[in-house]
Amino acid sequence: GADWLDFLATRLGRYRTRQVEMLADPDALRAWLREHGMEPVAEVTTADVDAARALREAMHRAAGATVSGQSPSAQDVRVLQEALASDQPLGITRAGTALRLTPPADVSVALAWLARQAAVDLTGPTRQRLHACGDDTCSGIFVDHTGRRRWCSDERCGVRVRVRAHRARARRAE
């Protein structure tokens, strides 16, 4: 999936009683950005974590609105636009036989990269392929390239939905 959609999934259980925040502190944010090729050169601060969470939530609400055919809120658009203000042209360097992106200077640039991906997907042709997970306890949003996907993850959400359906049928049969 796209990095920005993976970023939305850093808050687990959004629609459940028990939620898990994967961006708990600066080290967790740095690790997530590193894993996605966006580790900044500068130190990651608590303020960066707050900014990342605010952007993530605005992007999630905007994506949810887009998926359901509604207009994103002006506030969420403003948050995305503010993140995009830190966007910088991508740079590349040679690393042996491969090319690598020049790392972002700081977290605001990395967040701008995520906001750019979201903006392109939410406004372009990919918008029609964005779907919400079919598990109503999951807040996942994904791009469906096949036109047949129902869940963000068949291994996690698909299994959970099928188990709940099986148990409901078993209860009715009793």
Side-chain angles (χ1 to χ4, degrees):
D3 291 332
W4 78 276
L5 292 171
D6 291 345
F7 186 61
L8 299 184
T10 59
R11 182 174 172 200
L12 302 175
R14 186 183 307 267
Y15 301 147
R16 297 188 194 136
T17 305
R18 184 176 166 268
Q19 298 180 15
V20 176
E21 176 58 69
M22 293 176 61
L23 303 178
D25 56 37
D27 290 337
L29 177 57
R30 178 174 287 283
W32 190 92
L33 291 169
R34 180 183 318 114
E35 182 180 321
H36 289 83
M38 294 180 260
E39 182 176 14
V41 174
E43 175 186 359
V44 179
T45 67
T46 302
D48 292 330
V49 173
D50 294 341
R53 289 177 183 173
L55 176 61
R56 177 193 63 199
E57 295 309 306
M59 288 189 332
H60 188 271
R61 287 187 300 268
T66 300
V67 165
S68 64
Q70 299 173 353
S71 179
S73 77
Q75 175 60 28
D76 291 337
V77 172
R78 191 174 312 113
V79 170
L80 279 161
Q81 193 62 44
E82 288 170 2
L84 287 168
S86 295
D87 200 10
Q88 297 176 353
L90 297 177
I92 56 172
T93 59
R94 291 185 305 167
T97 59
L99 294 175
R100 290 201 178 151
L101 284 177
T102 303
D106 57 30
V107 170
S108 70
V109 175
L111 295 178
W113 290 3
L114 292 167
R116 180 186 337 145
Q117 290 176 7
V120 168
D121 283 352
L122 292 170
T123 62
T126 301
R127 177 180 71 234
Q128 302 303 321
R129 293 190 209 125
L130 287 173
H131 295 284
C133 183
D135 177 359
D136 59 6
T137 68
C138 177
S139 61
I141 296 175
F142 61 93
V143 178
D144 180 8
H145 295 287
T146 67
R148 296 185 311 259
R149 275 182 68 185
R150 295 178 18 191
W151 304 290
C152 62
S153 165
D154 191 48
E155 295 82 23
R156 187 182 62 235
C157 295
V159 167
R160 190 170 40 238
V161 168
R162 288 190 292 270
V163 166
R164 279 197 308 257
H166 171 76
R167 288 178 179 161
R169 285 191 305 273
R171 279 192 300 275
R172 284 192 306 269
E174 290 174 357

